[in-house]
Amino acid sequence: MIWDVLPGARSQAGGPHFPFRWRPIRGTGGLELPSRHISHYLAVFFGALFLSALALTGVVNWLGKSVGATNSLSDLASLQAKDRNAIVLPFDLRYWAGLKLPRLAAEKPDVIFISSSRGGAMRSEMLAPYKFYNLSFTAWTLDQVTEILDRATREFAPKVAIVSLDYFMFTNLWPKINAKNAMRFADPFYRFRSGVDMMRAAQRYDGFLANCIIPILKTQHRCRARQGRFLGTPAILYQEGFRADGSYRYGAGRIHDPKTLTADYLTNAMPGAPSIDPKQMLALERLVALANERGIRLVGIQLPFMKLAIDYLDTNARYRDLAGVWREFESRRLQEQFRRMGIAFFDLSRAPLTQDLNNFVDAYHPSEIGMLRSLRDLLADPQFKEIFPAIDPDLISRQTSEAESKKEYFHVYGD
């Protein structure tokens, strides 16, 4: 039998009231606790569980802030504004515009550069005395470029917007494979997601917890850069990320990996096509219309590729059909069409600098010396010089020579 509970029972000795008394119920052989006690125990259990989870979340949040892993994106932007030596990298590339757009709003530059990863090495010193901010790593497709230009220029308009215009951006496949790279804006769960990523990194990488997260109170933190602090889990792990001007500091692990210095590395990453996709020309027209509406001079640049990759596009018989988009993009007809649309277009794909591997991080990412040499070549073009009359070509040449003499190809102006 089980036992039921009757309230208000008095002890047999006439003592004080007890809150309940037990009554046997036929047909069972055990005890049943009062339902209100079960509810109480459950409330205590889940309350304790909730408080434990809250405490753990608080500890993770506190520890994470020491390495920039649980700061909001706007907080990271503010920290970099205060410490211009800080190298910052949010945990997922889809949030990188969330860091860069607040930085852009604070900097209010004369010139911006909207690009995929290809433009990461362009630094503010290269365009001095113009104030410059690099929005690379935020837009891979033409429609994404338009969205970033729109968001970047709602409050103010720079004088010039440089955008990457690469042949593969005009294929029908490129927008499909890069839809996953579309930026996320105003995600309320960013800090939580970033904190989870930090804890996963602590499990995967030996020393990350001990060297980066635990010594929060130490003045000499092993996660500090030479000229500032790395902020964000991937920035710490790979020693790379965005500088205060938006340019990208490459870690040693990404520079001149033999597997990335081949023509196949380019053609496997960048799709080909028999011809230019008309939808991408319409996307370009939307970009031009927005720039005109905001009163912004639009400059398109195809940055250099490694010469081995260009030779492959030009001559490989097996790739000839897919290289149709490349040939059409290189034609005078298309470049004249760009001019009629109002785009000042400059193509560096066949520049002599493409023969020197030091000008590249890999087959299609220019290094800093490669970007500086590209600018030197561009300044020899009267049309480019007319757009940027204040840039001193002699200064650019001297900086190039100094970097060459020091064999400093990837961090020309320091970290």
Side-chain angles (χ1 to χ4, degrees), residues 81-283:
K82 293 174 183 175
D83 179 6
R84 298 186 68 85
N85 291 318
I87 307 296
V88 184
L89 193 61
F91 81 101
D92 188 312
L93 71 82
R94 292 171 294 179
Y95 296 103
W96 291 352
L99 167 74
K100 290 197 162 193
L101 289 176
R103 292 285 304 118
L104 179 77
E107 295 290 319
K108 293 183 171 51
D110 304 308
V111 183
I112 61 175
F113 187 16
I114 303 176
S115 169
S116 64
S117 56
R118 292 242 297 141
M122 185 173 284
R123 299 185 63 171
S124 58
E125 291 90 342
M126 297 177 186
L127 294 179
Y130 299 103
K131 196 172 183 180
F132 168 76
Y133 190 81
N134 191 330
L135 277 165
S136 63
F137 288 88
T138 63
W140 277 255
T141 71
L142 289 166
D143 282 331
Q144 289 171 4
V145 171
T146 302
E147 180 181 22
I148 294 299
L149 181 64
D150 174 36
R151 289 178 178 272
T153 60
R154 289 175 183 176
E155 302 297 327
F156 82 101
K159 297 181 178 68
V160 179
I162 304 171
V163 299
S164 282
L165 290 182
D166 292 309
Y167 77 93
F168 49 81
M169 296 172 71
F170 291 81
T171 64
N172 62 353
L173 188 57
W174 184 251
K176 297 174 185 176
I177 61 179
N178 283 282
K180 65 184 186 302
N181 292 334
M183 295 292 105
R184 287 184 175 181
F185 301 97
D187 182 351
F189 300 107
Y190 168 77
R191 292 173 62 190
F192 172 77
R193 297 179 199 275
S194 185
V196 169
D197 178 76
M198 178 190 74
M199 297 311 293
R200 287 175 177 166
Q203 291 179 320
R204 290 196 308 267
Y205 299 99
D206 291 340
F208 181 70
L209 182 66
N211 295 332
C212 297
I213 300 177
I214 290 176
I216 186 172
L217 299 177
K218 292 183 180 179
T219 55
Q220 293 301 318
H221 204 292
R222 289 195 186 184
C223 293
R224 292 183 184 276
R226 285 175 296 186
Q227 297 179 356
R229 194 169 49 153
F230 288 109
L231 292 173
T233 302
I236 293 165
L237 291 175
Y238 308 119
Q239 302 287 283
E240 63 183 41
F242 297 113
R243 301 184 185 90
D245 65 357
S247 63
Y248 198 81
R249 181 197 189 277
Y250 284 98
R254 294 191 191 271
I255 296 172
H256 277 191
D257 181 340
K259 297 189 298 293
T260 68
L261 293 170
T262 66
D264 285 343
Y265 187 71
L266 170 70
T267 55
N268 288 335
M270 311 305 182
S275 62
I276 285 176
D277 178 20
K279 291 181 180 178
Q280 301 319 306
M281 292 304 297
L282 293 175

Side-chain angles (χ1 to χ4, degrees), residues 35-56:
S35 59
R36 62 180 177 180
H37 275 242
I38 295 175
S39 299
H40 173 72
Y41 295 147
L42 289 175
V44 170
F45 173 76
F46 285 110
L49 190 64
F50 173 75
L51 290 175
S52 299
L54 195 63
L56 179 61

Side-chain angles (χ1 to χ4, degrees), residues 263 306-316 326 350 354:
M306 216 174 62
K307 188 174 187 299
L308 282 174
I310 298 303
D311 290 344
Y312 187 96
L313 291 171
D314 282 341
T315 63
N316 188 279
W326 161 251
R350 299 183 185 279
T354 62

